[in-house]
Amino acid sequence: MPFNRFILSLFFTAGLIWACTQQKVSPPQAISPVPTPTQLAWHDMELNAFVHFGINTFTDKEWGYGDENENFFNPTQCSPSQWVSVLKEAGFKGLILTCKHHDGFCLWPSKFTEHSIKNAPWKNGKGDLVREVAEACKQEGLKFGIYLSPWDRHHKDYGSPAYIEYYRHQLNELFTLYPDVFEMWFDGANGGDGFYGGQRETRKINGRQYYDWPTTLSQVRQIDTSVLFFSDAGPDIRWAGNEKGNVSKTYWNTITPDTLYAGKAGIENLLNTGTENGTSWIPAECDVSIRPGWFYHAKEDSLVKTPEQLFDIYLKSVGRGSLLLLNIPPDKRGWFHENDIKSLRGFRKLFNEEFKKDLAQNAIVKTDTYRGHDDRFAPGALTDGNDETYWATDDDHLTGTIEINLAKKEKIKYVVLQEYIKLGQRIKHFSVEVWKNNKWEQVARETTIGRKRILKIVPVETNKIRVNILSAKTCPVISNIEIY
Ligand code: FUL
């Protein structure tokens, strides 16, 4: 063989070998169920606000009976733009307004009832608070959501089919007048005593059958294809099982809808944890109020949750893979009260201080293995700040170790981990160790990770952190790690 042909074939063989070693493995397969794109966008919001405002604000009640005079509703300086700017500054991404609470009073001039702000002195009956709030949100880039209480203690027909017609008309009206609603909140309180058009009696309904939710929801979806429905059991977002603002440490976004029905023993716990082999992706939303009540009461001005309490709630909701829906009730002026604003600002300050510098950013990250030795799944993906890249193992590897070497010893307090949930929630057990006194010392042993897990550990000085994935439903896929 002439010399130059020999050289050429050498290059060819080397090229072939190189090409073989670069053979790309396929990305991990998703494990069902997985979130929809709309649910994913919702997860990323992390912080949403609830705003309970209405007749109760003026009557100093939590649940109006339904016989309140419209004249009560008269905020002196109502300013949705103040609410929204405070919320934005504190890091909130969406706002859900009680367009109608159980008392039946509507914050928009509904053409289906007289029991609304059109008969209130506020703005001489010309006001439309739902519009003002929706517009303020749009202006500041917050998403807008609707709460429309199914239970209506004012309406004469509550309990009969005619009320369902009324309720559907109202939903139709709201979704037509105020487009781009990101979430619709269906409250679980249903039936009891009330005014009911003057009958003043107790009306009980069968919550599962009476409302015929499938028909109602499909009607709304015809107007708004992307709205997410929240209710105790979904279908898109589930209740977290309590109103304290937390999910369990073991928290699955997955759950089996057939196992959920009102009155089932232990349903709160089930909602709080979800189930590992649940058949649907229905994440929990953690609702809680910044005050003891949902509506404003002057007597609770001194009982506003502190920045530290809010931060703790954040860790137990968002930090366990869920979303926080924090209620801030405007006062009689129609303003967020000074004390609530102070707490929200304090929360943001504390948050910024605690998560000031991500030490993993400039660290060396190594893993014991990565999928197919393919650069796309290498450990660098864990700290590149890109949510779309991830570290993954081979299909037959259900465990893995991630080691983070810091440039020098640092005091660490938080370890943040995120699964790439587009491919499903996978991890069942993991532990965290730190290098101390020349050996590894375990500082946490936990179960699920999900969309985000923030572990608060006893502050410790170290220059090496090790995360061990101990078991998973299928090969682990992690998109992000942060150390503070
Ligand atoms: C509950 C309601 O009864 C409360 O008044 C509040 O609206 C809360 C968010 O949901 O079920």
Side-chain angles (χ1 to χ4, degrees):
M1 183 190 290
F3 183 70
N4 48 0
R5 281 199 50 200
F6 171 71
I7 295 290
L8 215 68
S9 72
L10 256 186
F11 270 118
F12 181 73
T13 319
L16 211 67
I17 294 171
W18 181 83
C20 285
T21 56
Q22 293 301 302
Q23 190 73 51
K24 298 275 187 266
V25 284
S26 54
Q29 291 214 328
I31 178 167
S32 231
V34 294
T36 62
T38 330
Q39 284 175 320
L40 273 174
W42 175 87
H43 276 285
D44 286 342
M45 294 173 80
E46 292 197 352
L47 285 177
N48 283 333
F50 222 167
V51 174
H52 276 64
F53 190 51
I55 281 280
N56 295 335
T57 314
F58 301 88
T59 55
D60 210 11
K61 285 190 192 159
E62 275 294 299
W63 281 8
Y65 189 69
D67 60 349
E68 296 77 15
N69 194 301
E70 294 84 28
N71 281 331
F72 286 134
F73 187 82
N74 197 13
T76 48
Q77 289 171 272
C78 191
S79 176
S81 53
Q82 183 240 16
W83 315 346
V84 172
S85 74
V86 169
L87 291 173
K88 191 173 179 185
E89 188 189 324
F92 287 77
K93 301 289 189 272
L95 181 164
I96 299 177
L97 175 70
T98 51
C99 300
K100 176 185 88 163
H101 203 251
H102 310 330
D103 54 72
F105 180 78
C106 300
L107 296 183
W108 80 104
S110 173
K111 65 177 185 203
F112 299 101
T113 180
E114 290 306 303
H115 197 44
S116 85
I117 52 168
K118 72 182 173 202
N119 289 317
W122 182 62
K123 297 199 169 175
N124 293 320
K126 300 277 175 283
D128 180 346
L129 192 55
V130 176
R131 180 169 305 284
E132 284 191 24
V133 178
E135 279 171 3
C137 285
K138 197 165 189 183
Q139 194 105 36
E140 292 290 348
L142 260 72
K143 293 189 187 175
F144 175 67
I146 283 176
Y147 171 117
L148 187 74
S149 170
W151 183 26
D152 191 320
R153 304 175 92 186
H154 175 79
H155 205 278
K156 65 177 179 34
D157 293 329
Y158 183 79
S160 77
Y163 173 76
I164 302 301
E165 283 307 300
Y166 168 76
Y167 188 73
R168 287 183 183 155
H169 280 314
Q170 288 208 315
L171 280 174
N172 220 311
E173 190 178 37
L174 282 168
F175 278 82
T176 310
L177 288 173
Y178 320 104
D180 297 331
V181 173
F182 83 103
E183 182 173 339
M184 169 82 224
W185 226 82
F186 294 103
D187 182 87
N190 280 310
D193 64 333
F195 175 66
Y196 304 124
Q199 296 303 304
R200 299 183 182 276
E201 59 191 8
T202 298
R203 293 189 184 170
K204 290 233 154 58
I205 52 113
N206 177 331
R208 286 183 93 188
Q209 285 154 14
Y210 176 55
Y211 295 110
D212 179 14
W213 286 119
T215 308
T216 304
L217 302 192
S218 76
Q219 178 204 294
V220 176
R221 272 213 206 286
Q222 279 168 21
I223 314 173
D224 187 335
T225 49
S226 61
V227 64
L228 292 168
F229 294 118
F230 167 100
S231 87
D232 281 9
D236 303 312
I237 305 164
R238 71 180 198 253
W239 186 41
N242 66 52
E243 288 182 334
K244 291 187 278 196
N246 68 56
V247 283
S248 158
K249 281 179 156 196
T250 298
Y251 165 70
W252 294 97
N253 288 292
T254 47
I255 202 156
T256 302
D258 294 354
T259 63
L260 303 168
Y261 54 89
K264 173 178 174 157
I267 193 167
E268 279 85 3
N269 286 341
L270 185 62
L271 291 166
N272 203 243
T273 59
T275 41
E276 186 187 317
N277 294 317
T279 53
S280 300
W281 187 278
I282 311 179
E285 176 167 64
C286 300
D287 63 318
V288 61
S289 185
I290 196 166
R291 292 163 169 253
W294 292 99
F295 284 89
Y296 175 83
H297 309 288
K299 59 179 177 295
E300 293 180 353
D301 282 350
S302 61
L303 301 173
V304 175
K305 292 191 173 60
T306 63
E308 290 72 22
Q309 285 171 313
L310 295 180
F311 185 68
D312 185 56
I313 287 173
Y314 172 85
L315 294 180
K316 290 176 175 156
S317 52
V318 179
R320 290 180 181 171
S322 178
L323 181 144
L324 174 58
L325 180 65
L326 180 69
N327 178 63
I328 305 104
D331 59 19
K332 288 186 184 179
R333 295 171 298 176
W335 278 62
F336 279 174
H337 189 272
E338 290 70 8
N339 295 3
D340 303 41
I341 298 178
K342 199 167 158 220
S343 240
L344 287 172
R345 290 199 172 128
F347 160 72
R348 180 45 53 178
K349 187 160 172 273
L350 183 59
F351 182 100
N352 292 343
E353 277 160 11
E354 294 297 273
F355 301 131
K356 196 164 172 182
K357 188 166 171 236
D358 174 13
L359 299 168
Q361 277 296 313
N362 298 315
I364 298 166
V365 186
K366 298 185 286 188
T367 55
D368 59 342
T369 178
Y370 63 95
R371 192 172 180 85
H373 292 280
D374 185 322
D375 287 350
R376 287 175 299 166
F377 313 117
L382 291 163
T383 50
D384 64 1
N386 181 350
D387 293 345
E388 285 307 314
T389 60
Y390 49 82
W391 165 77
T393 62
D394 286 316
D395 287 341
D396 55 359
H397 248 91
L398 303 189
T399 59
T401 296
I402 305 165
E403 193 178 311
I404 296 143
N405 291 346
L406 309 178
K408 59 179 176 59
K409 261 195 180 177
E410 304 266 9
K411 191 177 205 171
I412 71 158
K413 200 167 164 190
Y414 301 97
V415 177
V416 182
L417 293 160
Q418 290 188 265
E419 282 190 75
Y420 185 73
I421 54 168
K422 250 189 198 177
L423 297 180
Q425 188 175 345
R426 299 161 169 252
I427 292 163
K428 299 206 285 187
H429 291 104
F430 70 101
S431 70
V432 179
E433 297 168 299
V434 296
W435 188 250
K436 210 175 145 193
N437 303 327
N438 288 322
K439 59 177 173 41
W440 289 109
E441 190 174 293
Q442 181 170 293
V443 290
R445 195 179 173 91
E446 297 288 335
T447 52
T448 50
I449 293 180
R451 181 192 169 267
K452 185 177 263 186
R453 188 72 199 265
I454 308 176
L455 286 180
K456 185 175 180 180
I457 57 170
V458 179
V460 57
E461 281 225 344
T462 187
N463 62 344
K464 282 200 268 188
I465 300 105
R466 192 157 80 174
V467 175
N468 306 301
I469 308 300
L470 304 171
S471 70
K473 285 170 80 173
T474 180
C475 67
V477 178
I478 299 186
S479 63
N480 185 38
I481 189 160
E482 293 163 32
I483 309 282
Y484 296 94

